[in-house]
Amino acid sequence: MQRRLLWFLDIDWARATEADASALVGWLRTAPNPQRRRRNPNSPQPGSVNPRTGKPYLKAGYAPSTINHCLTVISGFYAYHRHYNRGPLINPVPESRAQRRDLAHRAPRTAKSRSSGGPDCASGSPRPIRARFRTGCGTSSSPP
């Protein structure tokens, strides 16, 4: 968890729970981002639309991608300490089923074997170049 929030809640980082992670998300959703303060009084309001480009200006708070990045970093921090048997055994940032499904292809235990031909040898129609210039893919001819 961010040190500021844990300090404010008077919680040790090793005792943080999922409720504390929810409190962090709620705080980030409502807190103003100090880097987006407008210093010029004539500058456009946060979230308004630029009349020239049609794009919206950044809102005053934290973007959802920033909140997700924060949660990813915190989750990695707790996973690192769990790997070395320090801190809590349960990560306070819950892992979603959709995230596990999306990252399932990266699991080394469920790696699929590659085809015998490899990625360069298509099993369909031949490539549109002359056969005598084709290398690999089961042909023994070589260029002149």
Side-chain angles (χ1 to χ4, degrees):
M1 309 303 288
Q2 283 193 346
R3 290 184 309 163
R4 294 182 282 182
L5 184 66
L6 291 177
W7 173 79
F8 179 75
L9 297 174
D10 195 28
I11 298 172
D12 183 41
W13 72 270
R15 301 204 184 282
T17 63
E18 190 174 331
D20 301 324
S22 296
L24 174 67
V25 171
W27 176 73
L28 286 173
R29 285 181 178 167
T30 59
N33 188 341
Q35 294 181 348
R36 295 188 184 164
R37 285 192 196 123
R38 305 288 197 254
R39 288 174 177 79
N40 185 355
N42 296 331
S43 63
Q45 293 295 320
S48 62
V49 178
N50 184 333
R52 176 174 264 169
T53 63
K55 294 181 180 180
Y57 290 106
L58 295 174
K59 297 180 181 175
Y62 291 96
S65 60
T66 303
I67 296 171
N68 289 338
H69 177 72
C70 180
L71 291 175
T72 301
V73 170
I74 292 169
S75 177
F77 171 81
Y78 279 96
Y80 172 83
H81 285 285
R82 183 179 60 230
H83 178 75
Y84 290 104
N85 295 324
R86 295 180 283 193
L89 294 176
I90 298 174
N91 197 331
V93 180
E95 187 177 307
S96 68
R97 290 183 186 187
Q99 179 185 15
R100 276 181 288 184
R101 184 187 67 237
D102 291 342
L103 298 177
H105 69 280
R106 297 183 185 185
R109 292 183 183 157
T110 60
K112 297 178 182 176
S113 63
R114 295 177 66 177
S115 65
S116 60
D120 295 331
C121 299
S123 60
S125 61
R127 300 186 310 196
I129 57 174
R130 297 195 324 233
R132 66 182 196 150
F133 290 108
R134 224 183 300 166
T135 58
C137 298
T139 61
S140 60
S141 62
S142 60

